[in-house]
Amino acid sequence: MKKQRKAERAKKEAEEKNEESSSSGISKSGKRHVKPVDPYPFGEKLLKTEYPLSEATKYLKLLQKNSPDSLETHLLSFEVNMRKQKILLAFQAVKQLLRLDAENPDSHRCLIKFFHKLGSMPAPLTDAEKLVWGVLEAECPSISQLQEKTLSEANKVFLGKHEESLMHIVAVAEMLYTLEQTKKLEAVKLIEDSCNKVMPMNGAFGPVLAWKLKDCIAVHKLLEKVLIDQDAALSPL
């Protein structure tokens, strides 16, 4: 019994010593453990990739598998495939966006951007290009938002349906500028006027909506980076 107790006591003392050395950062050999320094604590290196579209495509496939009914999945699909010139896949993304939420500002952006891009593409020459155009010609009539309307008309219709929403107005203004860059001032004015508009709310007059900070930031970025109007970007909403 005495031998057993001595063995248990010795084991306990050894464990305590190990804990002390670990907490002080010293190994059994007496060397101090040095925690390695992360040279990229903010992930700059991870952001720099030689093939960004390939990496984005890998991420996109995971989203398509696990979140097929998420709007963000198809927004990413649209952006990636437009950059890769995968027109049919980009069109598929547009259809999915319209299916999930046709009234979302980002869905509207993608719709207008896609058909604006389509309108600027040269006539098909190769058999593959002709096949793509054949599919698009067969599918496009199913897009109700564009039936018997130009893109500018569809943009105005969208504005009429959502003239009380800041983010919808911003999307319309951005697409107005995308379709006709000579209408930059009109696009800026559309945003500025929306900021001053008041409508009845709960029996009293007040702002159209309680704008969120992220919405105001998005508007600022659009005015500064896309419409390139510093005065409007710096003016209070």
Side-chain angles (χ1 to χ4, degrees):
M1 290 292 290
K2 288 183 179 180
K3 289 182 178 180
Q4 185 177 353
R5 288 177 182 173
K6 285 183 179 180
E8 290 176 353
R9 191 180 299 116
K11 182 180 179 182
K12 186 176 181 181
E13 289 175 355
E15 289 175 350
E16 289 175 351
K17 286 182 180 180
N18 284 335
E19 288 178 1
E20 288 176 2
S21 63
S22 297
S23 62
S24 62
I26 301 174
S27 66
K28 292 180 181 179
S29 62
K31 295 181 180 179
R32 181 176 293 277
H33 291 293
V34 179
K35 185 178 180 180
V37 178
D38 185 355
Y40 304 101
F42 300 106
E44 299 96 329
K45 189 174 182 180
L46 294 174
L47 290 173
K48 295 178 181 178
T49 174
E50 190 175 356
Y51 304 105
L53 284 179
S54 296
E55 292 299 318
T57 301
K58 293 177 185 177
Y59 179 59
L60 173 60
K61 288 180 179 178
L62 287 174
L63 287 175
Q64 289 173 327
K65 179 180 178 181
N66 297 293
S67 301
D69 290 327
S70 170
L71 205 71
E72 286 73 16
T73 295
H74 302 291
L75 287 172
L76 178 61
S77 176
F78 176 79
E79 295 296 341
V80 169
N81 286 304
M82 285 293 280
R83 284 168 172 75
K84 294 173 70 175
Q85 299 293 314
K86 301 288 186 181
I87 299 301
L88 286 182
L89 291 177
F91 181 57
Q92 184 66 30
V94 170
K95 291 202 300 181
Q96 291 294 335
L97 288 168
L98 296 177
R99 176 183 66 84
L100 291 170
D101 188 357
E103 303 306 319
N104 185 282
D106 287 325
S107 297
H108 178 70
R109 280 189 181 93
C110 292
L111 173 68
I112 300 299
K113 283 181 180 179
F114 177 80
F115 282 97
H116 181 58
K117 172 70 174 178
L118 201 63
S120 65
M121 292 177 66
L125 297 175
T126 66
D127 289 341
E129 290 173 346
K130 290 176 182 178
L131 180 61
V132 169
W133 277 89
V135 173
L136 291 172
E137 287 176 354
E139 292 283 338
C140 287
S142 65
I143 307 297
S144 61
Q145 289 82 355
L146 298 180
Q147 287 180 356
E148 299 181 356
K149 299 183 192 73
T150 64
L151 294 180
S152 294
E153 289 170 345
N155 203 35
K156 289 179 181 178
V157 169
F158 191 77
L159 174 62
K161 293 167 67 176
H162 302 285
E163 58 185 3
E164 76 287 354
S165 166
L166 173 64
M167 296 315 293
H168 286 80
I169 292 171
V170 169
V172 169
E174 183 182 349
M175 291 304 98
L176 175 64
Y177 178 66
T178 297
L179 294 172
E180 298 181 64
Q181 296 199 352
T182 57
K183 293 191 174 181
K184 171 184 170 179
L185 294 179
E186 185 179 337
V188 172
K189 188 174 186 301
L190 187 61
I191 296 173
E192 289 181 327
D193 287 350
S194 71
C195 299
N196 298 321
K197 188 182 296 183
V198 293
M199 294 182 67
M201 183 183 294
N202 297 327
F205 279 90
V208 173
L209 289 175
W211 297 334
K212 298 178 181 178
L213 177 60
K214 66 175 184 178
D215 294 341
C216 295
I217 292 173
V219 174
H220 173 77
K221 286 183 177 179
L222 175 70
L223 290 168
E224 184 180 37
K225 304 295 184 182
V226 179
L227 297 176
I228 314 176
D229 191 314
Q230 293 296 327
D231 292 337
L234 295 174
S235 65
L237 292 177

